[in-house]
Structures are given as structure tokens and as C-alpha cells.
Amino acid sequence: MKSRPFLRAVLLGGGLMLLVLLGWHFLRRPAPPVPAPANDFNPAQFVKAPPRLDAPQVATDMEVVDIMLGMARVRPDDRVVDLGSGDGRILIAAARSYGAHGIGVDIDPARVRESIENARAAGVASFITFRRQDLFQTPIGDADVLTLYLLPEINLRLRPRILAEMRPGTRVVSHDFDMGDWHWDQRRHVGTATIYLWIVPARVQGRWTLTSDGQAFALDLQQQYQALNGSIAVGDRQVRAEQGRVTGNLVRFIADLGQGRQTFEGRLEGNTIVPTNSSAPWRAVRAG
């Protein structure tokens, strides 16, 4: 009778031989053919292209951020809109330093996710919102402050909307790039950076009836952004309205109505310009 060790050795050897034979059999089987793609196969549909950016992603230095917000005189009750918000640092600084609320938009979803996380980490997620959106489709009419770090051509495309949709007195601040022939109200240099500030002017161009010292005069105003000039009919002659300026709702010009040169300073309220100095006996009402 064979010993048990001998039987175990025979069984183990047979098992190993069986495994070798099975492996050799499967290795000899030909690989299945690779299916040919259909004629309408388009590999690009499986590869998501990066978003097309209107401006390159370049972060603003925090020193520049602080000065931008300071020039814009951000207040706790302000709504700040940041177009091309990147990692969210401008709005986060506005919320942390001034208690302002706001919204930032960016076309790059990675930057939107990053800004949301940054706001949470800074403890201001309840103050500010970030979303993926085309900046040209973003509503801006309810902003108190608009911040930009874009490109000159993008600023110029935004300029008509800023002037038409934003309320007089809204502050617009831009890092490095201006608005063409819309001259800035303030400009500062910070290292190699330049910061521009504009105050959206009220639209006062047109014909007005100016009343001063009980007399009525026809006032015709021409406006180029915040610059203002015009003419006033005084009897049978035309008097120039000079050195005019519109700052938000505030209107100022100089004219001589027959009693020497006088400075007219007022505030636009609807269709009426009322004097900011209550002792000045003048006002102007829009004449259609």
C-alpha cells in the first residue's frame, strides 16, 4: 500500500500539470478583433474642450485689490459685481473688509469651484455668490460697484451697457485697462499696476428750462460722458454754460446770466435739477 506522502505528491503533480495545460490552451486562442468605429464616430464628443476665455486668468495682487476697493469706497450696504472673478479674491476682500455683498461670474467652471471653496474658507460664503456665466450676459443694473480685470477691447464692449444700464453714481473700477475716450475720474499707480475709477454719470443732455432769481431761461446742454457744456438764451443772446461736469447725479456748470459769472451746482431728481445749496434760488426742469 502506498504511503500517504506519496499519494499527496502524485495529486499535487497532477494538479500542476493540469494548470499548465489549461494556460497553454488559453494562450493559443486568438485575441478577439477590435471593433471598427462607425462611419459617424467622432472622438471629440468624448473630450470636453476647455471654456473659451474672454480674458486670460491673471490674479490681481492683494495690495491692488485693497486699493481698488478703497478707491470705489465700498460700503457695507453695497452690492459688488465682479466680472471675470477668477479665484474670488476681490469679492472675498470686499466681504471681509467692508461687509459688502456681491456676485462674481467666470466662464471657467474650475475657477468658480475654487472661488466657492475660498469663500467658505474665508467665512463669507453667505455674503457672496459665484456662478459660471458669460460676463456679457450678466445683469449689472443693480450693482453699486463693478470691478474689472479684463482687456481693453472687453472694457470697450462693456462700456455702452455700463452707461445705459447702471445707475448714476455707480462706481466702476478697473485694474490696468481703461475705457477708451471715457476719461477716468480717478487714476492711481501701484507698482507696475494702474487702477482706474469711473463714476457713472446721469444723463442730462437735452433742453431744460432754468429758473434763477424769478427769471426763466432756455438751457441747452450737451454731454460727453461726465463732461458737460451748453448754452443759455439770455434775452436776444446766447450765453455759454462752461466747465460743466456730471458726477453721478450731481451737476455743475458756470454761466453769466447778467449778474456776473455764477456757479450752478445741483442734483438730478427725476426730471428736475435742484440746487444742492438751499440758499441758491435756481432750478432746472427738463423741457421735453
Side-chain angles (χ1 to χ4, degrees), residues 208-211 219 253 271-275 282-286:
W208 298 77
T209 299
L210 185 152
T211 304
L219 168 64
F253 59 90
N271 288 319
T272 304
I273 303 174
V274 299
W282 78 279
R283 70 177 46 234
V285 177
R286 200 180 289 274

Side-chain angles (χ1 to χ4, degrees), residues 36-48:
N39 291 334
D40 59 350
F41 175 75
N42 179 13
Q45 65 183 311
F46 299 101
V47 180
K48 189 172 183 179

Side-chain angles (χ1 to χ4, degrees), residues 107-136:
I107 199 66
D108 188 344
R111 297 287 75 77
V112 174
R113 290 192 295 269
E114 179 184 12
S115 59
I116 291 172
E117 290 304 316
N118 289 341
R120 288 174 180 164
V124 294
S126 62
F127 286 74
I128 50 182
T129 303
F130 296 96
R131 66 180 179 227
R132 184 187 181 196
Q133 189 174 51
D134 183 338
L135 61 87
F136 293 108

Side-chain angles (χ1 to χ4, degrees), residues 58-73:
V58 181
T60 301
D61 292 340
M62 288 309 303
E63 180 185 8
V64 175
V65 170
D66 291 339
I67 293 176
M68 289 174 70
L69 298 175
M71 288 176 65
R73 298 184 179 181

Side-chain angles (χ1 to χ4, degrees), residues 83-104:
L83 300 182
S85 50
D87 62 10
R89 63 180 60 194
I90 291 178
L91 284 176
I92 291 170
R96 284 187 62 88
S97 299
Y98 300 95
H101 293 70
I103 181 171

